[in-house]
Amino acid sequence: IRASLIVDAPTTVDAGDDIEITIRVQGVQDQLFGLSFVMNHTQKKYVEFLPDSLKVVGGGFLGNNILDIEVISNDSVAVGMTQIRDDDGENGNGDLITLKLSTDDRTPDSTKVVFSLVTKESDVDKIVANDPNGDPVYLEGIGDVTIIRQRTTTVWPGNTTDPEIKSGTIRVDQAD
């Protein structure tokens, strides 16, 4: 198993609801001490980051003694985090941060939002991780996909078993 940095997003959400994401690590075996990464998403017309929603998981994978920096724009979220003091780094699996994105209630049905971790940009590594000695810890970036559904309301067209009751047009005045 390769050590991975993973975006964990819901499979589906309703248009107008928030998308709650957890970014976590899995399979770390090299004493992860600190890391930085950038996450992007598609469908920026309908989906945007909620700047105050990003939370470092206290007591999560890297423990409670964490120094972190987040930069959030509508285009991406960049996170840098490291243990402080004389921590020895961590192995295994665990959550790092949680964040939310808002969705427009007019998002077309079945809109696919792809969340990706930028691995390189102009030959510069964008997922950078290290152990307590500053040696690299290699993490594979794994994204996720959420489908936004339009809420639907079913309107019954009439009683189909009674020949006297027909479906038709219902007029609703604003006073109703």
Side-chain angles (χ1 to χ4, degrees):
I1 297 176
R2 291 188 64 166
S4 303
L5 182 64
I6 300 169
V7 177
D8 189 7
T11 304
T12 59
V13 296
D14 289 331
D17 288 352
D18 292 340
I19 301 172
E20 296 184 32
I21 293 176
T22 300
I23 297 181
R24 58 187 172 83
V25 290
Q26 178 177 308
V28 175
Q29 299 176 1
D30 297 319
Q31 298 301 114
L32 181 63
F33 185 79
L35 75 154
S36 64
F37 59 89
V38 176
M39 185 186 80
N40 290 330
H41 68 88
T42 60
Q43 304 298 340
K44 291 172 178 59
K45 179 177 179 181
Y46 302 110
V47 179
E48 66 181 42
F49 289 107
L50 295 172
D52 295 332
S53 74
L54 191 142
K55 304 279 186 261
V56 172
V57 178
F61 184 75
L62 289 178
N64 289 314
N65 296 320
I66 299 172
L67 174 65
D68 62 289
I69 299 172
E70 305 94 27
V71 178
I72 298 175
S73 70
N74 192 40
D75 293 333
S76 64
V77 59
V79 175
M81 57 193 325
T82 185
Q83 292 179 322
I84 53 178
R85 300 192 190 146
D86 294 326
D87 290 332
D88 294 327
E90 302 296 332
N91 286 329
N93 311 318
D95 296 344
L96 297 171
I97 65 167
T98 59
L99 67 140
K100 292 181 184 178
L101 297 91
S102 65
T103 65
D104 188 314
D105 60 359
R106 297 167 297 189
T107 304
D109 191 41
S110 300
T111 296
K112 183 193 304 187
V113 182
V114 177
F115 300 99
S116 59
L117 294 162
V118 180
T119 54
K120 284 193 176 285
E121 186 174 288
S122 302
D123 292 329
V124 174
D125 286 333
K126 289 303 214 178
I127 298 176
V128 178
N130 62 284
D131 69 11
N133 298 319
D135 294 326
V137 173
Y138 297 98
L139 297 173
E140 177 182 5
I142 300 175
D144 207 351
V145 174
T146 297
I147 303 295
I148 301 175
R149 301 176 303 219
Q150 254 312 317
R151 289 185 172 97
T152 57
T153 304
T154 302
V155 178
W156 184 247
N159 183 336
T160 58
T161 60
D162 185 340
E164 297 298 316
I165 300 175
K166 307 283 185 216
S167 56
T169 303
I170 300 173
R171 181 167 183 232
V172 179
D173 293 329
Q174 286 193 338
D176 288 349

